[in-house]
Amino acid sequence: MSDMISGSPRIDTSKRTWLIASSCAGVAGGVATAIPFVSTFQPSEKAKAAGAAVEVDISALKVGEKITVEWRGKPVWILKRTPEQVAELPKLDGQLADPLSKRHPDEFTPKYAQNEHRSIKPDVLVVVGICTHLGCSPVDRLQAGPQPSLPSDWEGGFLCPCHGSTFDLAGRVFKNKPAPDNLPVPPHMYLSDTKLLIGEDSTKA
């Protein structure tokens, strides 16, 4: 499924963060790494409005797939995890810096996502794809098993190529990594079983 991007030329703080993310990805993997990250987005009228909530149809999202949308100039990942991936999450708690997302909950994890799967629905992860270390963008390492720069018992997740921080499939950071916090969960809510609203939730007036 295609990703989406705002066409707005205005550069604000969140846009700078995203540009830093693209730059870091380029340092780690060359210019070719940074260009696809941006070019895979498509314009969204709602995303063009500063701060506007973004409605996303996930009806076609298959198990194991991830899509990226833009909210406030930031890439938001939506991943549909397999039942096996969800079942594996609690087993990783001992390896994680903040397994229950108790650190800075107001900033990084809404109350409805303060659980081991960090989501409203266990199978659907919604996180901001920006590393909490220096604002780089992690890359997908969704498949389990040994891979370059990853441990031999890797169960799937995300790797920040800039400084080596690793996150599990709930966006939780592993211990002894540069990133101090889990990937942020943006405010969001379900409008229906197949439609998400990114940027607002039912706790807001």
Side-chain angles (χ1 to χ4, degrees):
M1 180 175 291
S2 297
D3 295 338
M4 298 181 284
I5 189 168
S6 168
S8 172
R10 186 172 64 85
I11 303 296
D12 56 16
T13 302
S14 61
K15 289 288 184 185
R16 281 193 216 100
T17 301
W18 193 3
L19 290 174
I20 292 171
S22 299
S23 298
C24 287
V27 169
V31 176
T33 303
I35 293 175
F37 171 72
V38 176
S39 63
T40 51
F41 289 88
Q42 293 182 350
S44 166
E45 291 303 319
K46 288 190 176 182
K48 290 178 182 178
V54 179
E55 187 174 315
V56 186
D57 186 349
I58 60 171
S59 58
L61 186 62
K62 298 178 181 179
V63 174
E65 287 186 344
K66 178 174 81 70
I67 60 173
T68 304
V69 299
E70 185 194 2
W71 171 67
R72 292 187 175 179
K74 301 174 183 178
V76 174
W77 298 340
I78 304 172
L79 170 67
K80 190 163 188 179
R81 295 172 288 207
T82 68
E84 293 77 16
Q85 289 171 336
V86 173
E88 191 66 28
L89 293 175
K91 302 176 184 178
L92 299 174
D93 285 5
Q95 304 176 45
L96 303 168
D98 185 20
L100 297 180
S101 302
K102 294 183 177 180
R103 189 182 300 170
H104 311 303
D106 294 338
E107 183 178 358
F108 291 100
T109 314
K111 187 173 182 180
Y112 46 79
Q114 291 175 27
N115 46 56
E116 286 176 324
H117 43 80
R118 298 189 77 225
S119 57
I120 298 173
K121 294 184 178 183
D123 60 329
V124 180
L125 175 69
V126 181
V127 292
V128 176
I130 295 177
C131 181
T132 55
H133 180 216
L134 293 177
C136 299
S137 184
V139 294
D140 294 351
R141 291 294 182 266
L142 305 181
Q143 297 300 317
Q147 298 169 55
S149 304
L150 294 171
S152 59
D153 59 350
W154 181 247
E155 292 294 341
F158 310 97
L159 166 69
C160 184
C162 297
H163 301 95
S165 294
T166 49
F167 304 84
D168 74 348
L169 289 171
R172 301 178 298 176
V173 67
F174 283 83
K175 291 179 178 178
N176 303 316
K177 298 295 180 180
D181 293 292
N182 298 334
L183 297 179
V185 174
H188 66 283
M189 61 187 293
Y190 284 86
L191 301 176
S192 69
D193 287 343
T194 59
K195 286 190 178 180
L196 273 167
L197 187 65
I198 311 296
E200 294 181 12
D201 57 38
S202 57
T203 66
K204 297 184 181 297

